[in-house]
Amino acid sequence: AVNARAFGAYVDFSENTAGLMAQLRLSFYPNVDFGFQGGLSRLDLGNSTKTTLRLGSDLRIGVTRAGERSPVDVAAGGALGVETSDNYTSLRLGPSVVASRALPLGGDAAIVPYVGAMLCFANVSVDGESETDFSAPVRLGGELRAIPGVRITAEFQLRLGDDFDDDVAFAAGANLPF
């Protein structure tokens, strides 16, 4: 919705990473929103452990709404993310698509399952050695809208073809519209 705003806070875990992230989502135009993300992560690189700073942004455009013509909401967009520390830099970007459907539970409560996919181009530099990779991460998750003003979210991530990150990750948190 136009003039919609939300703040989100999340934790994410994988075999070699534990992190805290925050997000601010804004919309100033119908069916278009964008977000700014930032946070810290603890990254295990095998022979060393680093605390990294994560910064990113994304843009989403609503392509279709659930209704008579479509069973799901679909949004397409793109994302850019940077993660950095001493002798470590990761740059990721690419187009993405997300499909979701709100399932009412009664009153204002709902569960919103979603699936998202991205074509991710990445460049990672560790101790001066740089590599480029292409992957197709897939996200499977849901949002619970049971408490007014709070949306609890959980997400399972499959990082298909990603040579840099762990193959599986989990994230959970809360989105707070304001």
Side-chain angles (χ1 to χ4, degrees):
V2 175
N3 293 325
R5 300 172 307 276
F7 170 79
Y10 319 95
V11 294
D12 64 296
F13 301 98
S14 67
E15 183 178 347
N16 296 306
T17 305
L20 298 170
M21 292 288 292
Q23 173 176 235
L24 177 64
R25 293 212 72 76
L26 306 166
S27 177
F28 299 114
Y29 194 77
N31 297 322
V32 177
D33 75 0
F34 57 94
F36 302 101
Q37 300 86 27
L40 297 172
S41 178
R42 194 70 178 160
L43 177 63
D44 182 5
L45 293 172
N47 58 354
S48 69
T49 302
K50 297 184 180 293
T51 299
T52 64
L53 172 67
R54 296 174 172 177
L55 298 172
S57 67
D58 70 316
L59 172 73
R60 292 188 302 204
I61 300 168
V63 176
T64 185
R65 302 286 292 167
E68 292 180 19
R69 297 188 320 195
S70 174
V72 295
D73 294 329
V74 176
L80 169 68
V82 176
E83 186 172 6
T84 188
S85 183
D86 292 333
N87 298 315
Y88 176 84
T89 304
S90 170
L91 171 67
R92 297 168 194 278
L93 64 110
S96 64
V97 64
V98 176
S100 65
R101 174 72 188 238
L103 305 172
L105 295 175
D108 290 336
I111 293 177
V112 184
Y114 63 86
V115 61
M118 180 180 190
L119 298 176
C120 184
F121 301 92
N123 181 276
V124 175
S125 177
V126 179
D127 295 327
E129 305 241 351
S130 181
E131 288 188 45
T132 301
D133 187 31
F134 172 77
S135 63
V138 175
R139 302 176 1 228
L140 306 167
E143 184 176 77
L144 175 62
R145 299 176 182 172
I147 305 167
V150 178
R151 298 175 176 178
I152 306 299
T153 184
E155 177 177 289
F156 182 67
Q157 303 166 0
L158 300 170
R159 298 171 177 161
L160 305 174
D162 192 331
D163 289 339
F164 301 135
D165 290 321
D166 297 324
D167 294 333
V168 177
F170 178 77
N175 294 312
L176 309 167
F178 63 96

